[in-house]
Amino acid sequence: MALGLSRAGFRVAITAARNRAELEAVAREAPPGQVYPVISDASRESDCAALVGEVQEQLGPVDVLVNNAGRGMRYVSEQFMVEPTRFWETDTETWRMVIDTNVSGPFFLARAVTPGMISRGWGRIINISMNHETMRRVGFSPYGPSKAALESATIIWAQDLAGTGVTVNALLPGGASLTGMIPDEVPPALRQKLLMPEVMVPPLLWLMSESADEVTGKRINAPAGIRNLIRR
C-alpha cells in the first residue's frame, strides 16, 4: 500500500515498531523522497503522539491515516495456519500485545490526527481489517477479536465524524494475504492460494479520492467492494 500510494504521488510515512531496515528497503523501492520511514510502536500512546508530530514537521499535515500496523497469530504460534491454539492456551501477555497494537493503536493514531482533519474540513481514516471467515476461524484469538473491535470502532467513529468532511472506513483484502504475518513454513500449495497485497492499492486510492467523499462507515472488500458501492 505504501508503494502504491507513493507511486500515485502521495508522500507517505511508514512505521514499524523495531525493524528499520525493512522500512528503509520500502523507501528505496519507492520514488525518491516519497516514503518517510519512522520507528514507532503503535501500541504506545506516547509513540503515536510523537510520530504524528514528526510527520507533520517533516511532511506537513496528515490528510490520510491508514491503520495497517498489526500483530497477528504468529505471536501466538508459528503453526497457527495448521494447528489452532485454543483461547485458554494463549499467553496473556501475547493477548495484551495484539489487542494493544490492533485496537488501541488505531485509536491512539486516529485521536492524534482527527482534530487537524476536522479543522481543515477533510480527511480519511482507513482501518485495515480482515474477512469474516478468518475473523471467526477456530484458534484465531486474539487476532480475530481485535479486528472485530476495529470494525466496530470504524462504524462508531464514522458517526462521530458525520458532517465534518472526515470519513472512516474499513478495508480488507477479501482473504488471507501473502504478507509477513504468514510463516515461512506454510506449504507452497497453500501459499499459492494467498492473495497478493497489491489487491489493496486500487480501493485504497479510490477511498482517498473525491469520488468517495460520501462513503463513510463502510466495510469494503477489495476489489469487489468498490464496484458494489458504485453500483448502489
Side-chain angles (χ1 to χ4, degrees), residues 40-100:
S40 179
D41 188 342
S43 70
R44 298 178 178 176
E45 183 179 6
S46 58
D47 276 27
C48 292
L51 166 66
V52 172
E54 181 176 347
V55 171
Q56 290 175 335
E57 181 178 337
Q58 297 295 325
L59 303 182
V62 178
D63 295 315
V64 178
L65 169 65
V66 180
N67 277 316
N68 184 53
R71 290 185 165 117
M73 289 304 299
R74 289 188 71 175
Y75 289 91
V76 177
S77 169
E78 286 287 336
Q79 302 300 316
F80 74 90
M81 295 288 288
V82 292
E83 297 178 11
T85 300
R86 311 299 176 168
F87 73 88
W88 65 87
E89 300 168 335
T90 302
D91 178 73
T92 56
E93 289 304 313
T94 300
W95 176 283
R96 290 190 184 96
M97 177 182 64
V98 172
I99 296 297
D100 285 348

Side-chain angles (χ1 to χ4, degrees), residues 59 84 95-96 105 133-134 186 198 211:
L59 303 182
W95 176 283
R96 290 190 184 96
E133 290 75 15
T134 306
V186 169
E198 288 81 359
S211 298

